[in-house]
């Protein structure tokens, strides 16, 4: 009796704010039309923003919120993957891991029964900010080192923010990694190629970094949702995102999807800069913060002040 064809699974990983969702949007928009894909998105917080951004009405997208895939959300991942495979029967499954996911543990889980019976683990794509990559303080963090070491394809994002010396140092350091990567490249505006999903698997060391569950920074996450039909003022949201660093001490990330008139926008703040892009999402407004500490009531009041008066009850 012939064995059942396995679904190829790729993991997209990288630290918070490195541009994983932007790269995944590019991959999705350039996917082979004869190949059926499904997506699983994991986020650090409780409100799924990335899943809303990736939902184009055609592709099956599942969300796992509230932790890294291989610890807090581990059992939920197994159920989510199994249900998605049974329902959609995709040719390829892409998992966008949380920026705080321990990538090696996730790969181990995907290869182990019961998931290993249905999945063939393909190339792991790790995105890095070259400015962080050349900073040894990042490599001293087991979680960051784990994400780099498990990669088959290592991609530098935000190259436009790095100077020539930093990019040269990135290339030298990446070339010296052992075992060597199948591919080391730089991408602009998230332009990752779907061809890289089928890159050769780099040999993995038997040694795995010792990563404890409490290795993640002590950040807080807070999310809010507002029903569809609640329209936000574009001008007010602009002022809100411009002033977020003053409103939230120790701000790490902020992102949301908002209805502005008849358009839905994805607003994404990282490293003191933010940008807006149109998305196909139409279900509800969502916003989430990650920070050292935050005043949830004050942030909610500021958010509600951005709602158009005519759309409120």
């Amino acid at each position: 009796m012939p064995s059942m064809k396995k679904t190829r699974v790729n993991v997209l990983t990288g630290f918070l704010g490195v541009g994983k969702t932007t790269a995944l949007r590019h991959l999705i928009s350039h996917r082979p039309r004869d190949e059926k894909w499904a997506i699983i998105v994991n986020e650090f917080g409780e409100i799924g923003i990335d899943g809303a951004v990736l939902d184009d009405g055609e592709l099956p997208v599942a969300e796992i919120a509230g932790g890294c895939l291989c610890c807090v959300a581990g059992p939920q991942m197994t159920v989510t993957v199994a249900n998605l495979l049974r329902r959609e029967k995709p040719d390829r499954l892409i998992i966008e891991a949380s920026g705080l996911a321990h990538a090696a543990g996730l790969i181990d889980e995907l290869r182990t029964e019961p998931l290993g019976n249905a999945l063939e683990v393909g190339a792991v794509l790790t995105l890095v900010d070259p400015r962080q990559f050349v900073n040894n303080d990042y490599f001293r963090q087991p979680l960051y080192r784990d994400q780099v070491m498990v990669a088959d394809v290592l991609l530098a994002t935000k190259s436009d923010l790095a100077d020539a010396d930093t990019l040269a140092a990135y290339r030298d350091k990446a070339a010296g990694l052992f075992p060597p990567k199948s591919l080391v490249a730089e991408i602009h505006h998230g332009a990752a190629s779907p061809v890289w999903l089928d890159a050769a698997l780099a040999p993995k060391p038997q040694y795995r970094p010792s990563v404890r569950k409490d290795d993640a920074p002590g950040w807080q996450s807070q999310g809010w949702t507002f029903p569809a039909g609640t329209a936000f003022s574009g001008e007010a949201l602009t002022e809100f995102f411009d002033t977020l660093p003053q409103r939230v001490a120790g701000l790490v990330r902020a992102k949301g999807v908002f209805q502005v008139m008849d358009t839905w926008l994805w607003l994404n703040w990282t490293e003191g800069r933010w940008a807006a892009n149109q998305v196909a999402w139409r279900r509800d407004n969502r916003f989430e913060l990650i920070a050292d500490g935050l005043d949830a009531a004050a942030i909610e009041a500021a958010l509600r002040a951005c709602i158009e008066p005519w759309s409120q009850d």
Side-chain angles (χ1 to χ4, degrees), residues 12 19-31 37 94 125-127 153-157 183 185-197:
L12 185 66
K20 295 185 296 295
T21 303
T22 300
L24 185 49
R25 290 184 84 198
H26 189 275
L27 287 169
I28 290 170
S29 66
H30 291 81
R31 70 189 185 276
W37 287 17
I94 300 181
L125 276 60
T126 297
L127 276 56
V153 175
L154 187 70
L155 301 175
T157 63
L183 174 71
E186 297 156 34
I187 59 174
H188 302 274
H189 309 295
S193 171
V195 173
W196 297 340
L197 296 172

Side-chain angles (χ1 to χ4, degrees), residues 85-255:
L85 295 179
R86 183 168 55 250
R87 185 175 66 248
E88 303 294 342
K89 298 180 174 57
D91 301 305
R92 187 182 302 276
L93 172 65
I94 300 181
I95 299 176
E96 180 195 337
S98 157
L100 299 178
H102 305 310
L106 170 58
I107 299 301
D108 288 343
E109 190 165 345
L110 293 172
R111 286 185 170 140
T112 304
E113 293 184 5
L115 295 181
N117 296 328
L119 296 173
E120 175 190 358
V121 176
V124 177
L125 276 60
T126 297
L127 276 56
V128 295
D129 182 328
R131 298 166 300 172
Q132 297 174 349
F133 185 79
V134 301
N135 184 340
N136 286 331
D137 288 341
Y138 279 85
F139 263 83
R140 292 189 185 99
Q141 299 178 26
L143 187 148
Y144 187 90
R145 195 165 60 247
D146 173 33
Q147 292 175 346
V148 171
M149 297 308 293
V150 80
D152 301 296
V153 175
L154 187 70
L155 301 175
T157 63
K158 303 187 177 183
S159 300
D160 57 318
L161 302 179
D163 58 29
D165 289 343
T166 299
L167 290 176
Y170 156 74
R171 294 170 192 136
D172 288 344
K173 189 170 185 176
L177 292 173
F178 185 83
K181 304 304 178 188
S182 296
L183 174 71
V184 174
E186 297 156 34
I187 59 174
H188 302 274
H189 309 295
S193 171
V195 173
W196 297 340
L197 296 172
D198 292 320
L201 303 187
K204 301 292 191 300
Q206 291 185 341
Y207 166 76
R208 290 292 176 81
S210 177
V211 179
R212 305 183 308 273
K213 291 183 180 180
D214 59 355
D215 277 330
W219 293 326
Q220 292 179 249
S221 171
Q222 180 74 39
W224 293 264
T225 61
F226 301 88
T230 305
F232 284 74
S233 161
E235 290 184 4
L237 283 176
T238 296
E239 193 273 339
F240 175 75
F241 269 77
D242 281 344
T243 58
L244 265 177
Q246 290 76 50
R247 297 176 185 274
V248 182
L251 180 63
V252 177
R253 286 298 310 280
K255 50 188 173 179

